[in-house]
Amino acid sequence: MGRTGVLLLNLGGPEQLEDVRPFLFNLFADPEIIRLPSPWLQKPLAWLISTSRASKSQENYKEIGGGSPLRRITEEQGEALKAYLQKLGRDVKIYIGMRYWYPFTEEAVAQIKQDGIEELVILPLYPQFSISTSGSSFRLLDKLWQDDPALQKIDYTLIPSWYNSPGYVRAMADLITQELDKLPDSNTGHIFFSAHGVPVSYVEEAGDPYQREMEHCVDLIMQAVGRPNDFTLAYQSRVGPVEWLQPYTEDAIKGLAAKGIDDLVVVPISFVSEHIETLQEIDIEYREIAEEAGIEGFHRVPALNTYPVFIEDMGNMVVKALESPRKLFSDAAQLQKEVRIYPQDKSAWGLTPFAEVWNGRLAMVGFLALLLEMVSGHGPLHIAGLM
Ligand SMILES: C=CC1=C(C)c2cc3[nH]c(cc4nc(cc5[nH]c(cc1n2)c(C)c5CCC(=O)O)C(CCC(=O)O)=C4C)c(C)c3C=C
Ligand SMILES: [Fe+2]
């Protein structure tokens, strides 16, 4: 058996307040996050949005202690995974590749190369596939692999999504039932799945399987919970002026309050670690909305973090992948056929006269928009919901 590695892919988050603006720049510079008709606009727009959004975003990070816990938790997950694999007799090196902050995916891949890894399992820490998350990381890996013949020698297996993996479903059901059992009447708590949203166009135009996988995932978890409780799936954290998947979490909470629901058991479902959208958005913002709307019991199911049933499931997925190398890769190839991940590839590249004129005009508009924002605090980016 050759040297074996597991690459855990994640989003990354700012560790201190000074990191927030450059982190946001990296995020918005990704065409899988903001889809523009021309790649030339990507960086100017990323600069504009990150500059104008930074202070509001910093306020939110301040409320959770000044930075994201994502790196720490991902490292803990990696250590727990390594220990579990060791128990199974597998000596595996774990690498963490974040998409928008340290340790960057590029650094992890350079280390994998330096360590002479021969067999690699690539495991995104997103249970459901989205163009905007796992898709973006896969695209980056694809580019790194294409540019480097040494990487092409690695025997790798990519796990595109795993929302239906039995251990993951069981782990989610365990944490939900533990929370339900704290209620005076465990059968009446309304189970409220709050998933990170994506724009509707990702699903309807680009073929993102995210919503389909999310709905299937919720059904599987509810079957595993095996209780008579009612449930809702809603989508949170929308950014910008376009339509995102509905129902929106805040509207769904208000709707349930109007129906007289007393106990809401909120389940963060699209992500396996605590992060700003659980600790700030759910625990502070949505709690306030729920309480103002008259819901007395707002309970939150913790994220999986290093919950042993979940870590063991990750370990079992890794072992399965190692025992059937490249088998799961065909799923990913199929996925790439179904999902139009790279719409920008279709547009003409190069500094054509058309592109030059429009980039110049848009840069001027952008600059004026930013000035207006800064002077008045009520410019077009506020109106568009990007600040
Ligand atoms: C499955 C999870 C996620 C999906 C889908 C997703 C899509 C998505 N996100 C944005 C914009 C932002 N995301 C931000 C932070 C952030 N997002 C996720 C997860 C998903 N995003 C995580 C784990 C984090 C990091 C949290 C941390 O602890 O630091 C942010 C920055 C925070 C903020 O300013 O609100 C933005 C912005 C878009 C536009 C998008 C789909 C197109
Ligand atoms: Fe996000």
Side-chain angles (χ1 to χ4, degrees):
M1 210 172 11
R3 272 181 226 169
T4 307
V6 175
L7 173 59
L8 300 177
L9 300 173
N10 210 337
L11 190 128
E15 283 167 64
Q16 45 193 353
L17 295 179
E18 303 87 272
D19 301 341
V20 170
R21 201 201 54 74
F23 161 77
L24 289 176
F25 176 84
N26 293 341
L27 186 116
F28 287 113
D30 180 359
E32 310 308 340
I33 286 284
I34 288 207
R35 318 192 116 208
L36 298 173
S38 160
W40 295 100
L41 299 176
Q42 199 76 44
K43 287 200 172 156
L45 195 77
W47 180 82
L48 193 66
I49 303 174
S50 57
T51 305
S52 52
R53 192 183 168 90
S55 65
K56 180 180 167 227
S57 191
Q58 278 173 337
E59 288 307 313
N60 294 340
Y61 281 102
K62 260 187 216 162
E63 292 188 56
I64 64 162
S68 169
L70 216 49
R71 181 178 188 158
R72 175 183 54 78
I73 297 172
T74 310
E75 283 169 355
E76 287 167 5
Q77 288 168 330
E79 279 157 27
L81 176 63
K82 186 176 170 61
Y84 176 67
L85 286 168
Q86 225 145 27
K87 266 208 269 177
L88 299 183
R90 301 257 180 189
D91 188 18
V92 166
K93 207 152 178 221
I94 308 285
Y95 300 88
I96 292 171
M98 301 291 195
R99 185 66 185 86
Y100 307 116
W101 204 245
Y102 298 94
F104 285 107
T105 307
E106 292 87 337
E107 299 171 57
V109 169
Q111 194 61 50
I112 286 168
K113 201 172 130 182
Q114 198 180 315
D115 293 348
I117 293 295
E118 291 164 77
E119 282 183 299
L120 181 68
V121 178
I122 301 169
L123 179 61
L125 287 176
Y126 309 98
Q128 307 83 12
F129 177 92
S130 168
I131 292 169
S132 59
T133 53
S134 307
S136 169
S137 288
F138 295 166
R139 181 181 197 186
L140 174 59
L141 289 178
D142 199 29
K143 186 175 177 322
L144 296 173
W145 248 250
Q146 276 181 27
D147 292 348
D148 192 338
L151 292 175
Q152 290 161 21
K153 292 194 190 121
I154 300 175
D155 193 8
Y156 69 87
T157 305
L158 181 119
I159 301 176
S161 71
W162 40 273
Y163 66 91
N164 50 359
S165 185
Y168 161 73
V169 171
R170 177 75 265 146
M172 289 295 291
D174 282 358
L175 297 190
I176 293 169
T177 45
Q178 282 168 21
E179 208 56 43
L180 287 176
D181 289 342
K182 292 180 192 161
L183 303 180
D185 179 359
S186 66
N187 287 342
T188 60
H190 190 98
I191 305 176
F192 189 98
F193 293 93
S194 189
H196 198 303
V198 295
V200 169
S201 63
Y202 280 51
V203 175
E204 291 186 355
E205 286 162 34
D208 197 336
Y210 181 72
Q211 184 180 21
R212 190 176 68 231
E213 293 194 0
M214 189 61 74
E215 288 172 359
H216 189 190
C217 182
V218 166
D219 286 344
L220 292 171
I221 294 172
M222 283 307 297
Q223 277 169 32
V225 166
R227 304 265 181 108
N229 302 65
D230 289 330
F231 72 96
T232 297
L233 166 62
Y235 294 90
Q236 66 174 83
S237 318
R238 71 181 186 279
V239 182
V242 297
E243 191 191 355
W244 284 49
L245 293 181
Q246 297 210 30
Y248 299 140
T249 292
E250 63 269 35
D251 298 341
I253 291 175
K254 287 178 196 160
L256 291 170
K259 283 190 191 152
I261 299 292
D262 281 333
D263 282 303
L264 210 57
V265 177
V266 183
V267 187
I269 180 160
S270 37
F271 206 58
V272 295
S273 318
E274 298 295 353
H275 63 295
I276 188 138
E277 283 141 5
T278 55
L279 300 170
Q280 197 278 332
E281 201 172 349
I282 297 181
D283 289 355
I284 300 176
E285 288 182 30
Y286 294 137
R287 175 183 294 275
E288 240 172 63
I289 289 175
E291 285 171 357
E292 270 170 28
I295 291 176
E296 280 169 18
F298 186 92
H299 316 268
R300 213 254 294 164
V301 172
L304 290 167
N305 293 344
T306 53
Y307 184 62
V309 180
F310 164 58
I311 298 294
E312 285 170 20
D313 193 51
M314 281 208 290
N316 297 339
M317 280 191 273
V318 167
V319 171
K320 196 169 148 206
L322 288 171
E323 283 171 356
S324 49
R326 289 189 186 272
K327 262 222 178 104
L328 298 172
F329 189 58
S330 59
D331 290 0
Q334 182 59 28
L335 196 68
Q336 294 232 355
K337 266 189 235 149
E338 283 171 19
V339 176
R340 292 195 301 282
I341 303 187
Y342 317 135
Q344 288 194 353
D345 293 350
K346 284 188 288 177
S347 46
W349 279 80
L351 215 52
T352 60
F354 176 84
E356 270 188 81
V357 168
W358 273 99
N359 289 341
R361 284 179 187 166
L362 282 159
M364 287 296 290
V365 170
F367 186 67
L368 289 172
L370 185 64
L371 266 181
L372 193 61
E373 292 285 347
M374 286 178 161
V375 173
S376 68
H378 295 289
L381 294 173
H382 271 97
I383 294 163
L386 289 165
M387 277 188 76

